[in-house]
């Protein structure tokens, strides 16, 4: 049976961690849709044409830590404004969402555009400073040479581009449940998300 959990929110809000934990808790499959845009961005940095690259994207292109760099994140948000790029990625995401046994998709437009009929919609957010601090720690742990100011600037630039673009801008769906993770432990944020899904499943 289909059961879709759509988790949207700005950069580094904790969507990835929450999505993985919710998927593991309920035995659902998980798709980090940011990886699709990151993979296209990485290929464009290597000289590819954005729309052609998006149309030819292969699941194997989504592997690896090389997609987690700030340069690839910026390139992802630049290709994500292009209608043709977004259109090329819609079918893959919708098929994933409709799979038997349940699916969690996290991104920017899952509850608004990709799966407007998702059974659960969450919008996960936190202050820009809090998100930048978490992303800074993550990137440092991966051995990347980043500064706190640089990461904060990157997060703010992407948020502005993602929220103001014409195509599928970042915004909460009207029926999304908001979770502000500023000052919340990750365990508390996961527990809140799991409780929302439990509530809907129990109906
Ligand atoms: O991990 P983080 O939240 O920093 O970013 P991400 O989810 O990997 O997404 C990277 C970029 O891809 C975002 O800044 C968006 O521009 C774009 N994106 C999008 O437009 N739509 C999605 N469903 C997912 C990501």
């Amino acid at each position: 049976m289909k059961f879709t959990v759509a988790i949207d929110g700005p950069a580094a809000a904790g969507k990835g961690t929450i999505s993985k934990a919710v998927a593991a808790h309920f035995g659902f499959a998980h798709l980090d849709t940011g990886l699709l845009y990151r993979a296209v961005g990485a290929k464009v940095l290597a000289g590819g044409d954005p729309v052609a690259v998006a149309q030819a994207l292969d699941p194997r292109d989504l592997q690896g830590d090389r997609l987690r760099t700030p340069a690839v994140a910026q390139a992802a948000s630049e290709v994500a404004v292009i209608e043709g790029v977004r259109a090329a990625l819609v079918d893959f995401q919708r098929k994933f969402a409709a799979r038997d046994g349940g699916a969690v998709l996290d991104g920017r437009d899952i509850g608004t555009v990709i799966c407007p009929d998702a059974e659960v919609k969450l919008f996960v957010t936190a202050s820009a400073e809090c998100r930048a601090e978490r992303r800074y720690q993550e990137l440092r742990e991966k051995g990347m040479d980043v500064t706190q100011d640089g990461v904060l600037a990157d997060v703010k630039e992407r948020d502005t581009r993602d929220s103001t673009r014409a195509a599928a801008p970042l915004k909460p769906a009207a029926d999304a449940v908001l979770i502000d993770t500023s000052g919340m432990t990750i365990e508390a944020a996961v527990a809140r998300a799991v409780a929302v899904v439990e509530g809907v499943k129990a109906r």
Side-chain angles (χ1 to χ4, degrees):
M1 213 185 67
K2 164 198 175 282
F3 189 98
T4 308
V5 181
I7 305 188
D8 292 305
K15 302 181 299 292
T17 312
I18 293 173
S19 302
K20 278 194 202 91
V22 167
H25 185 92
F26 294 100
F28 296 164
H30 171 226
L31 177 65
D32 171 355
T33 67
L35 280 181
L36 303 172
Y37 296 89
R38 285 175 181 258
V40 174
K43 288 191 175 227
V44 168
L45 287 178
D49 169 75
V51 176
V53 158
Q55 285 169 344
L57 207 64
D58 185 281
R60 279 170 302 189
D61 297 331
L62 310 181
Q63 310 299 325
D65 255 5
R66 67 191 174 86
L67 297 179
R68 296 287 177 198
T69 66
V72 170
Q74 279 294 342
S77 100
E78 283 166 24
V79 299
V81 306
I82 304 169
E83 291 269 13
V85 166
R86 306 198 71 84
L89 303 174
V90 168
D91 280 356
F92 178 76
Q93 295 175 83
R94 289 199 177 138
K95 280 204 184 96
F96 192 96
R99 63 167 54 198
D100 246 7
V104 180
L105 285 82
D106 74 283
R108 302 291 187 287
D109 62 340
I110 308 305
T112 50
V113 174
I114 302 295
C115 305
D117 58 351
E119 279 72 13
V120 178
K121 296 181 189 177
L122 302 177
F123 193 85
V124 179
T125 186
S127 71
E129 287 69 23
C130 184
R131 292 184 286 118
E133 172 61 26
R134 290 183 196 149
R135 181 54 51 91
Y136 172 75
Q137 296 299 345
E138 243 172 69
L139 294 172
R140 294 293 292 193
E141 274 163 31
K142 289 194 172 129
M144 283 180 222
D145 185 19
V146 288
T147 63
Q148 269 169 312
D149 287 352
V151 174
L152 179 61
D154 171 85
V155 157
K156 285 186 168 168
E157 188 183 333
R158 280 199 292 136
D159 285 354
T160 304
R161 194 184 295 117
D162 292 349
S163 324
T164 57
R165 70 187 176 211
L170 166 70
K171 62 170 181 213
D175 51 350
V177 174
L178 282 147
I179 302 181
D180 186 335
T181 66
S182 321
M184 226 189 209
T185 63
I186 190 63
E187 290 79 13
V190 167
R192 172 94 182 93
V194 166
V196 174
V197 178
E198 293 278 15
V200 174
K201 275 177 76 91
R203 268 186 217 156

